[in-house]
Each structure stands twice: as structure tokens, then as C-alpha cells.
Amino acid sequence: MRNTLRGLCGLLLPVVLLVMAACVRQKPASVALGPEAIFSEFVGNAACQPCHAPEFTSHQKSRHMSTLHDATQAALGPLAPALGVTPGGIALTQEGAGLAVRMAKKSGTQTVPLTFVLGSGKMGMTFLALLEQGSAEIFQSYFPNQKKWHTTPGQQDFVHGSLGRPYDESTTRHCLSCHTVTLPLNSLKPERRFYGVGCEACHGPGSRHVAAKQQGRKTDDSRLRQFDATSGKAVNELCGRCHRTVTDLATMDPREKASTQRFQPVGLSLSKCFLQSKDKLTCVTCHNPHEDVSTDQRRYEKTCLSCHSSPRKTCPVNPTEKCVRCHMPTRAVFPGSPLPNQMADHFIKIYRQP
């Protein structure tokens, strides 16, 4: 799951979850407390609404907030796949209120209840079954826009009719951390108020901050992360906890190291634009984290031209437009795959035409 649920967001696709969500984020511990105390410090998005209504409203509608679903047709709504046998030989069935997979084994038929569906539905959605000692990631993923099932990336070695790759509790927890705000210590099932990438997934646990504001105090000791006061490197690494960072290059599969269109913070951190920005250029320079990624090219070009408007820095080919098309070209994440996998490369540079 570490390799298959990593972030796949591109410039023209939602910042969180495209084919699978990334599984590298660790929860920011913004106060020096033990794990149990930190868990109790989370309050959920609703506590932020009274003071941050515009951000709350737009964020609630974003794909960040729909990266985790219960594995039920009711929870999935129009994103739900049809019941029946997938091309990989898994029979998707209804078991009570939830979904399950049924497979024919030598010893008889096996039915495994599904617990969660990972993904916003913009691209791929992966099904997860929680087991006694961890989980199993179903080896086929559903793509609502195509209404088709495809092999889950990284599971091409699983044979027709198998369930999928098993993961221990630690790995399962690691992966779910990119689809939730926080998990309880004694369970892999988050409270419903913590489903999705909520406010505290990025800003840190908010109970002390909320209490201070309710009491009329202007300052508090919560140490909530304020992005306008955070270094560019730190912001990019925060996004990279789910979408990968340059540090992760050391442990990446060699075939993945060049996939800067797949791992956006990696590409951005390698870009001369970032290196010469005096630690200012970040993911949120171009993307509003409280809403889905914009597809308005002019919006991004305006950001480019805020730096590249002087004669010394102006593009000699086209000084006023089409910056993204040339310097962040769209490339296939999985060349030759039937997966819908075109992503904008975030390694900003001059790309020579073949």
C-alpha cells in the first residue's frame, strides 16, 4: 500500500487523490504531548466553522474531504460500482448494509466484507477490507468516470480471482493517515467526524486554539500551523507527507524516481523556480488547499508572471501566456496503461521537444 496509494495529484487534477491517495503522511504533532493526549486534542472541522466559515464551507465541498468512504452503496451514492463480477474475477456483493467481495476457493466460496473505500471518485477508488491483523487492499480499483475496474497500481502480480495485497496493522494505519484527520490508538476505524483530509490534518490538533477563542483569549499555546508564517520547504514537506518528498527518493522504486508528474512536491522541490524563490514558492502558492484544484490556466500564468515579468526573467518564446503548457507538460504516470493517468509535471523547467 505504501507504493500504491501515494499521491497522484497534478495541476489539472485535485490536489489530493487521483489514482490512489498517498501513504506517507505522518500526523503533525504541534504540541509536545504523548500519543493519547494528542488524539484527544483533535476536535473536528465543525469546531472551526464559527470563526472560519468561508474556508469551512468551501473545504467541505472539496475532494480533500471525500477521500474516505464507508464501503456501502449509500455512502458512495452515484460513485458506487454495480454489483457483479469484476474483470478480475471478484464478485462484488451486498452483505447487509455493506459491500463485500465473494471469491471461489478450492475449499469453497469465501466472502470478505469491505470496510472502506479510499478515493474521492475523481479518478480511482480503492477498496479496503479490515482484517483481524491489519487489512487487505483489493487488487482491483474502480474508476467511476469510466465505470470500469482496473488493476490497482502495484498489484499487477496478483492473479485472477485473488483478494489483494495484505498489510499489517502498522502499514494499514500509515495508509489510512492520508485519508483521515486522526485515528484512535486502539482501532483502525476513525470517528466519522475525522473522515477525509480535514482542517487539523494540515493545521494540527485544534482543541486548545478553540478553547482560547471561546474564552476570549487572543493567544493560546496550541501552536497551530499558520501557512503564511511557515517556510516554503516546510509547507511542501507537509503536502509531501501524502504526496511524497525529495527525502522519499532514497526509498523509491527506481522506476518511480523520475515520476515528478506523479509526486508533485518532489518535482516542485527540484525546480529552479523553488530553489531561487528564497524559500517562498510552495504548493499553496498556486493551489488553494480549501478547494479543488483550479483548471483556470490564466490563474497559474498570473503566478508565473509575478516573477517572470522582468526582461531578465521573461520567457523568450512566449512572455505572457502558456507557461504551464510548456514548462509543466502533461505526462502519463503509467505509460501504456488503460488507467486515466495524465498528470501535469511539477518539475518546472525547459522541456526540449523531441
Side-chain angles (χ1 to χ4, degrees), residues 1-6 19-21 23 90 114 116 118 125-131 134-141 152-155 158 162-167 172 175 179:
M1 187 175 287
R2 292 177 190 268
N3 293 326
T4 62
L5 297 181
R6 304 260 172 120
V19 178
M20 313 286 139
C23 282
I90 294 177
L114 297 172
F116 295 124
L118 311 181
M125 305 182 78
T126 296
F127 291 74
L128 193 71
L130 292 189
L131 307 175
S135 68
E137 177 193 47
I138 308 308
F139 93 101
Q140 285 205 309
S141 295
T152 301
Q155 296 214 41
F158 273 75
S162 64
L163 179 63
R165 181 165 287 124
Y167 299 104
T172 303
C175 293
H179 297 266

Side-chain angles (χ1 to χ4, degrees), residues 2 17 26 42 62 73 87 97 128 150 153 183 198 201 250 258-259 267 281 299 326:
R2 292 177 190 268
L17 218 294
Q26 299 173 355
F42 289 94
S62 73
Q73 288 188 309
L128 193 71
H150 295 295
L183 288 167
S259 295
L281 182 63
R299 174 172 170 174
C326 289

Side-chain angles (χ1 to χ4, degrees), residues 10 26 44 53 61 107 193 232 286 312 349:
Q26 299 173 355
K61 300 175 183 177
S107 58
R193 60 180 171 150
C286 293
R312 186 172 63 86
K349 62 181 181 180

Side-chain angles (χ1 to χ4, degrees), residues 96-271:
L99 297 172
V101 291
R102 183 177 298 153
M103 298 172 297
K105 298 291 184 180
K106 291 181 180 180
S107 58
T109 301
Q110 178 186 16
T111 299
V112 180
L114 297 172
T115 312
F116 295 124
V117 182
L118 311 181
S120 69
K122 171 66 177 181
M123 298 295 280
M125 305 182 78
T126 296
F127 291 74
L128 193 71
L130 292 189
L131 307 175
E132 186 175 346
Q133 299 298 326
S135 68
E137 177 193 47
I138 308 308
F139 93 101
Q140 285 205 309
S141 295
Y142 183 65
F143 289 75
N145 288 341
Q146 293 184 332
K147 296 189 183 301
K148 291 182 178 179
W149 293 83
H150 295 295
T151 301
T152 301
Q155 296 214 41
Q156 290 82 356
D157 54 334
F158 273 75
V159 298
H160 181 96
S162 64
L163 179 63
R165 181 165 287 124
Y167 299 104
D168 60 22
E169 181 177 343
S170 176
T171 303
T172 303
R173 181 175 292 274
H174 189 64
C175 293
L176 284 172
S177 72
C178 282
H179 297 266
T180 62
V181 171
T182 187
L183 288 167
L185 290 179
N186 60 352
S187 173
L188 292 173
K189 293 184 177 181
E191 294 181 30
R192 193 170 299 277
R193 60 180 171 150
F194 296 136
Y195 278 31
V197 183
C199 309
E200 294 165 292
C202 296
H203 291 287
S207 66
R208 296 187 179 194
H209 176 73
V210 171
K213 299 310 175 185
Q214 290 176 341
Q215 295 165 12
R217 290 187 279 122
K218 294 184 178 180
T219 61
D220 60 77
D221 60 354
S222 65
R223 302 180 190 175
L224 281 182
R225 183 177 288 102
Q226 302 296 327
F227 284 84
D228 55 359
T230 304
S231 73
K233 180 180 179 182
V235 171
N236 294 337
E237 287 183 347
L238 175 67
C239 298
R241 289 176 182 180
C242 280
H243 300 290
R244 292 219 202 176
T245 66
V246 171
T247 304
D248 295 315
L249 287 173
T251 58
M252 281 187 191
D253 184 304
R255 295 168 295 182
E256 295 181 331
K257 289 187 176 182
S259 295
T260 48
Q261 77 277 33
R262 181 181 180 186
F263 308 121
Q264 298 76 37
V266 174
L268 183 62
S269 297
L270 296 173
S271 301

Side-chain angles (χ1 to χ4, degrees), residues 10 46 86 94 99 134 136 166 169 185 202 235 250 257 300-301 306-307 333:
T86 74
Q94 183 78 31
L99 297 172
E169 181 177 343
L185 290 179
C202 296
V235 171
K257 289 187 176 182
Y300 301 114
E301 289 166 359
S306 67
C307 288
V333 176

